């Protein structure tokens, strides 16, 4: 979980997981773009809307635009350097 400017780890071993860390770096960039507070507001509203739509919390979470961007690009370690500003918008 990313709580700007920190990444909160469930397991210490995740510090060595490059894919996990890249995923969370994408979230850090998203949070900065939306001045942190607006990221959390947007995230919550989108989650609730998708939960109502899908009727499933996990499916709602996986379809949040921020998560879709991060999951799709977590294996691309150059993504942060190439990523366009507000890159998550194409996943809305």
């Amino acid at each position: 979980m990313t709580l700007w400017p920190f990444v909160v780890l469930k397991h210490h071993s995740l510090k060595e997981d490059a894919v996990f860390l890249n995923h969370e770096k994408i979230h850090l960039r998203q949070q900065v773009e939306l001045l942190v507070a607006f990221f959390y507001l947007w995230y919550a509203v989108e989650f609730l809307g998708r939960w109502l739509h899908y009727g499933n919390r996990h499916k709602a979470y996986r379809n949040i635009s921020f998560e879709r961007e991060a999951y799709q690009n977590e294996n691309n370690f150059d993504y942060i350097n190439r990523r366009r500003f507000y890159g998550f918008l194409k996943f809305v």
Side-chain angles (χ1 to χ4, degrees), residues 1-2 6-29 70 73-77 80:
M1 171 187 273
T2 304
F6 305 104
V7 175
V8 179
L9 303 174
K10 188 173 184 177
H11 302 286
H12 185 69
S13 63
L14 290 172
K15 283 178 76 172
E16 308 302 322
D17 186 336
V19 172
F20 168 79
L21 292 175
N22 197 46
H23 179 104
E24 298 306 323
K25 285 178 187 177
I26 294 168
H27 287 317
L28 287 170
R29 183 67 55 88
N73 296 289
E74 66 187 5
N75 289 302
N76 180 352
F77 298 107
I80 286 291

Side-chain angles (χ1 to χ4, degrees), residues 76-88:
N76 180 352
F77 298 107
D78 191 43
Y79 181 70
I80 286 291
N81 298 322
R82 296 182 307 99
R83 183 182 180 272
R84 292 183 181 251
F85 207 64
Y86 294 116
F88 66 91

Side-chain angles (χ1 to χ4, degrees), residues 11-58:
H11 302 286
H12 185 69
S13 63
L14 290 172
K15 283 178 76 172
E16 308 302 322
D17 186 336
V19 172
F20 168 79
L21 292 175
N22 197 46
H23 179 104
E24 298 306 323
K25 285 178 187 177
I26 294 168
H27 287 317
L28 287 170
R29 183 67 55 88
Q30 294 164 341
Q31 290 172 14
V32 167
E33 288 173 348
L34 291 173
L35 306 175
V36 182
F38 292 112
F39 170 86
Y40 294 114
L41 178 63
W42 185 323
Y43 195 103
V45 169
E46 189 171 350
F47 173 77
L48 290 173
R50 293 191 186 278
W51 191 9
L52 288 172
H53 176 78
Y54 292 114
N56 178 293
R57 286 181 301 167
H58 180 71

